[in-house]
Amino acid sequence: MRDILPALERWYAARIPFGLATVVAVSRSAPRGPGAAMAVGPDDEVVGSVSGGCVEGAVFELAQEVASSGEARLESFGYSDEDAFAVGLTCGGEITVLVRPVTPATDPAFGEVAATVDAGRPVTVATVIDGPAPLGSTLAVWPDTVAGTLGTEGLDAAVTADARGELALGVTVLRHYGPRGERREDDVTVFLQSFAPPPRMLVFGAIDYAAAVARIGDFLGYRVTVCDARPVFATPKRFPAGVEVVVDWPHRYLERTGTDDRTVICVLTHDPKFDVPLLEEALRRPAAYIGAMGSRRTHAERRERLTDAGLTEAELSRLRSPLGLDLGARTPEEVAVSVAAEMVALRWGGSGAPLTVTAGAIHPTAAV
């Protein structure tokens, strides 16, 4: 979508209807993943791709029809052993493509969404792809506002809550609801496409606990980096595939690394010569979570050193130390669960208490 936005914005500004095809589901060895897009505009101009060429011709014709009729269509394309010359994917996979008409009348928020994506700011677009809700209807969800509707107030509220959760992680997924947003029902299928890079998790100290924290961070959708000044410990083979491993002094690495309000920083070095200068840097920059491992005695001594280094009480109050929730964790994997639980609770304002002793909605409804 990002690659074809200039053409889409041009057509939209000129109020020219166009058909926008988006891959919303894939299986097996599909050539392109969910979110891949292709559009057909004026004079049959085509931008983008949904399959790298296999089914582009069929999607082109479908987009023409949708732009003309103003009615969205959902189609699946796969390989057919019975008819090798039929339209399909030679790779043997399958893709499901939603083609919807886009004009200022059918999608009033499209221009604002495009401007948000251009500016590199986060937004999630929720689109109905199946069920009793209007096919192709969209709801744009920003961190603090929404635009559009999926048909009912309850569905809008449920999708808004989920969309903000996916937006925090930069994830694109399918979600299922009842017609009025009921959980645990699957009448309505909604495609949530997040336009935001995944948040970063920076783990300092390449110990066994770091490997477990890196694994759970990767599972939760973070882009994980592990940093340690000791090359004997900071080796890629000790960490999950996809986790970046850096050999450097932690505070020096952080000084040259950008962070934002979604970044998670876990300090597991457990050594004053590493963690004090590192935390001095971390507590003075944006981050969603800053946690440090250590006993209560270690925390008290570390806090005293940080105070001597000039950190204010407001800055020190951001430090979660000892990090994690009280789960009685013992193993590195259990400790990683407690850390992840604290991160999630802090992000969404959870109490960390057992749900059996709480009251009210389990999933608070987001404001629409």
Side-chain angles (χ1 to χ4, degrees), residues 62-128:
L62 194 59
Q64 284 181 313
E65 296 173 10
V66 165
S68 176
S69 69
E71 296 181 0
R73 296 271 298 276
L74 185 73
E75 296 285 348
S76 294
F77 300 91
Y79 182 77
S80 172
D81 290 329
E82 290 74 24
D83 185 357
F85 293 99
V87 173
L89 302 178
T90 56
C91 60
E94 182 175 324
I95 62 172
T96 300
V97 179
L98 174 73
V99 187
R100 64 184 183 92
V102 179
T103 67
T106 60
D107 192 346
F110 184 86
E112 189 176 357
V113 168
T116 299
V117 176
D118 278 341
R121 299 191 304 271
V123 62
T124 292
V125 178
T127 308
V128 172

Side-chain angles (χ1 to χ4, degrees), residues 153-210:
E153 184 177 343
L155 182 58
D156 287 349
V159 171
T160 296
D162 286 349
R164 285 184 176 144
E166 306 303 346
L167 184 57
L169 294 172
V171 176
T172 291
V173 294
L174 291 176
R175 288 283 181 259
H176 304 276
Y177 308 88
R180 295 177 179 80
E182 300 91 339
R183 305 285 180 174
R184 297 185 299 172
E185 295 188 23
D186 57 4
D187 300 292
V188 180
T189 304
V190 179
F191 179 62
L192 300 176
Q193 185 174 13
S194 296
F195 294 93
R200 299 202 65 181
M201 171 184 276
L202 306 177
V203 182
F204 295 97
I207 59 177
D208 287 345
Y209 290 97

Side-chain angles (χ1 to χ4, degrees), residues 197-200 258-264 285-289:
R200 299 202 65 181
T259 63
D260 59 27
D261 291 336
R262 301 184 302 151
T263 303
V264 166
R285 58 166 56 220
Y289 176 91

Side-chain angles (χ1 to χ4, degrees), residues 39 51 59 93 109 133 192 292 294 307 320 343:
S51 70
V59 175
L192 300 176
T307 300
R320 317 290 290 193
M343 287 161 41

Side-chain angles (χ1 to χ4, degrees), residues 27 34 40-41 45 54 62 69 72 75 92 108 139 152-153 156 164 186 223 228 231 234 244 266 281 301 315 326:
S27 65
V40 178
E45 182 181 352
C54 298
L62 194 59
S69 69
E75 296 285 348
L139 178 72
T152 68
E153 184 177 343
D156 287 349
R164 285 184 176 144
D186 57 4
R223 181 163 67 94
D228 196 301
E244 179 187 28
C266 296
E281 173 68 24
E301 293 174 350
E315 291 168 335
D326 180 14

